[in-house]
């Protein structure tokens, strides 16, 4: 089992819950859906996958509480079923088993209570970090993970060491920080991704497929131009405003960093190649907004950020300060909107791998 810190999304179904505020992730998953369907139709050899058993096992890694995970799992299942039917294998359509994975601290109660009644699969929850082994050998046929792999297993220690060149004072992320800070994050991502790929290489059957969707960074773009990085910077600047007003101590900001990293296609490809167990079928950056025919709603964007990050911020700063930080961010949403308009939008890394 891998050791990994956990930062659960807001549970339940209240105002700031992940369940109510993950439309943004859902919109991106919708854009990816057609590509996943196509990959299954063209590249998944369903006949050989289930030649020894009548069960097709799917896992969603970093599933949170839904409803996104339910929508995606249903869609994967339908695409696989369609493939059997289109190949004249109606009598061979397997039974499906879906494993919902997240940290043990995830709100699995809400997840289980909201499982779709009309689901056509057996459901199971799997607690634990996906940076370690979660399943027996050669067990899974299809693995999905969206908006989860950007979370590092832990923060690189040197960021908090005053004597290190990677000490990240006055900031809460590597956006606009020194190269040493960026490198510390990148090194941690490399370590984590290696563990992730090693574990999946053991768990996925030959011919099995893995789809990863993760906020990323184009190879030719500086990370400070990414919309999410800009959002993080904005939150950091609100905290620094509060430092200047004496509401928060500077040491508190210095000792906090978001353990989130946005990999580039080149980085991801290198790690997959080094692992050597998977073929890269697709590696592409998506621009989800190109398919949305409505303007980005900054308020919804702040709410989605709050649903995902409130937990980790509150653990460090306490709920009053964090409430104030988000409140100030909302009040300045016009300024934020201008910043985001100028940011790079082709930044969702979509990867389809096939186990050799
Ligand atoms: N896949 C869903 C939820 C994304 S939220 C969607 O697309 O909407 C990201 C989730 O990843 C969180 O619930 C978080 O707890 C989980 N996560 C982060 N690191 C993890 C790890 N190492 N192991 C398992 N889950 C992890």
């Amino acid at each position: 089992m891998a050791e990994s810190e956990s930062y659960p999304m807001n549970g339940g179904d209240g105002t700031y819950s992940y369940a109510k505020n993950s439309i943004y992730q859902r919109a991106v998953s919708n854009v990816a859906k057609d590509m996943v369907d196509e990959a299954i139709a063209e590249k998944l050899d369903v006949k050989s996958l289930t030649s020894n058993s009548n069960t097709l096992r799917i896992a969603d890694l970093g599933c949170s509480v839904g409803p996104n995970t339910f929508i995606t799992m249903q869609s994967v299942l339908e695409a696989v079923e369609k493939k059997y039917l289109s190949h004249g294998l109606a009598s061979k359509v397997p039974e499906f088993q879906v494993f919902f994975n997240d940290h043990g601290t995830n709100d699995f109660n809400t997840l289980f209570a909201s499982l779709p009644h009309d689901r056509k699969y057996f459901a199971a929850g799997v607690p634990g970090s996906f940076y370690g082994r979660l399943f027996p050998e050669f067990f899974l046929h299809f693995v999905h993970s969206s908006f989860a792999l950007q979370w590092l297993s832990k923060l690189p220690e040197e960021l908090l060491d005053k004597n290190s060149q990677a000490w990240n004072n006055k900031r809460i992320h590597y956006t606009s920080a020194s190269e040493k800070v960026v490198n510390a994050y990148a090194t941690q991502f490399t370590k984590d991704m290696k563990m992730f790929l090693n574990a999946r290489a053991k768990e996925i059957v030959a011919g099995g497929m893995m789809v990863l969707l993760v906020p990323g960074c184009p190879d030719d773009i500086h990370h400070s131009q990414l919309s999410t990085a800009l959002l993080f910077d904005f939150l950091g600047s609100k905290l620094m405003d509060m430092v200047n007003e004496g509401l928060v101590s500077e040491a508190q900001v210095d000792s906090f960093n978001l353990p989130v990293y946005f990999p580039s296609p080149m980085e991801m490809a290198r790690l997959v190649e080094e692992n050597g167990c998977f073929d890269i079928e697709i590696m592409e950056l998506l621009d989800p907004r190109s398919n949305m025919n409505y303007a980005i709603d900054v308020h919804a964007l702040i709410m989605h950020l709050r649903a995902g990050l409130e937990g980790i911020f509150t653990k460090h700063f306490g709920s009053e300060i964090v409430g104030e930080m988000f409140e100030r961010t909302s009040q300045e949403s016009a300024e934020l909107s201008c910043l985001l308009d100028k940011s790079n939008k082709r930044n969702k890394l979509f990867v389809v791998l096939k186990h050799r």
Side-chain angles (χ1 to χ4, degrees), residues 125-145:
V126 177
S129 169
F130 50 53
Y131 291 125
R133 286 285 300 279
L134 295 165
F135 300 94
E137 273 193 349
F138 310 121
F139 184 74
L140 298 169
H141 302 99
F142 194 98
V143 169
H144 176 271
S145 179

Side-chain angles (χ1 to χ4, degrees), residues 123-345:
V126 177
S129 169
F130 50 53
Y131 291 125
R133 286 285 300 279
L134 295 165
F135 300 94
E137 273 193 349
F138 310 121
F139 184 74
L140 298 169
H141 302 99
F142 194 98
V143 169
H144 176 271
S145 179
S146 57
F147 295 97
L149 274 167
Q150 75 276 16
W151 285 101
L152 300 173
S153 69
K154 63 180 177 107
L155 199 69
E157 277 147 27
E158 55 271 43
L159 296 181
L160 304 180
D161 177 0
K162 263 191 182 173
N163 300 317
S164 155
Q165 287 181 307
W167 186 50
N168 198 22
N169 62 330
K170 296 194 178 154
R171 270 178 300 268
I172 60 165
H173 194 234
Y174 63 85
T175 322
S176 63
S178 72
E179 273 308 299
K180 297 272 186 231
V181 173
V182 181
N183 289 343
Y185 270 90
T187 305
Q188 186 61 47
F189 177 78
T190 299
K191 281 187 201 155
D192 287 344
M193 198 61 203
K194 278 186 176 169
M195 293 195 287
F196 179 87
L197 290 168
N198 283 339
R200 300 302 83 76
K202 296 218 168 69
E203 296 165 353
I204 300 176
V205 300
M209 193 173 260
M210 177 148 74
V211 171
L212 310 175
L213 187 58
V214 53
C217 180
D219 290 306
D220 54 352
I221 291 283
H222 192 261
H223 52 78
S224 60
Q225 290 172 39
L226 295 172
S227 52
T228 324
L230 283 168
L231 281 166
F232 288 176
D233 242 14
F234 202 80
L235 294 179
S237 72
K238 293 308 109 196
L239 284 170
M240 281 310 292
D241 288 350
M242 286 192 257
V243 168
N244 293 332
E245 290 165 34
L247 300 172
V248 183
S249 78
E250 188 167 325
Q252 250 184 314
V253 176
D254 290 348
S255 56
F256 179 82
N257 293 280
L258 285 168
V260 172
Y261 184 74
F262 308 117
S264 73
M266 221 146 57
E267 265 176 305
M268 194 61 120
R270 183 177 48 80
L271 288 164
V272 174
E273 276 152 22
E274 276 174 19
N275 170 273
C277 297
F278 296 94
D279 286 319
I280 299 175
E281 302 290 343
I282 305 177
M283 172 87 64
E284 231 177 82
L285 283 163
L286 310 181
D287 172 4
R289 279 180 262 181
S290 66
N291 280 37
M292 292 181 198
N293 49 9
Y294 49 89
I296 194 92
D297 174 348
V298 183
H299 178 69
L301 202 66
I302 296 170
M303 289 294 270
H304 114 277
L305 214 58
R306 185 164 184 163
L309 301 177
E310 188 162 23
I312 184 167
F313 271 109
T314 302
K315 216 165 157 184
H316 187 84
F317 292 101
S319 55
E320 212 170 301
I321 287 167
V322 176
E324 176 71 19
M325 174 186 75
F326 280 112
E327 192 50 47
R328 289 178 180 217
T329 306
S330 292
Q331 279 166 11
E332 292 172 31
S333 60
E335 191 187 324
L336 192 55
S337 192
C338 282
L339 267 177
L340 292 175
D341 275 345
K342 290 189 220 128
S343 66
N344 183 281
K345 298 168 183 73

Side-chain angles (χ1 to χ4, degrees), residues 4-9 18 22 25-26 29 60-65 68-69 101-103 105-106 128-131 144-153:
S4 175
E5 287 164 21
S6 74
Y7 332 95
M9 309 294 99
Y18 192 80
S22 49
Q25 290 87 335
R26 186 143 71 247
S29 293
D60 193 21
L61 308 182
C63 62
S64 190
V65 290
N68 298 0
T69 184
N101 156 258
D102 210 298
H103 282 300
T105 48
N106 182 52
S129 169
F130 50 53
Y131 291 125
H144 176 271
S145 179
S146 57
F147 295 97
L149 274 167
Q150 75 276 16
W151 285 101
L152 300 173
S153 69

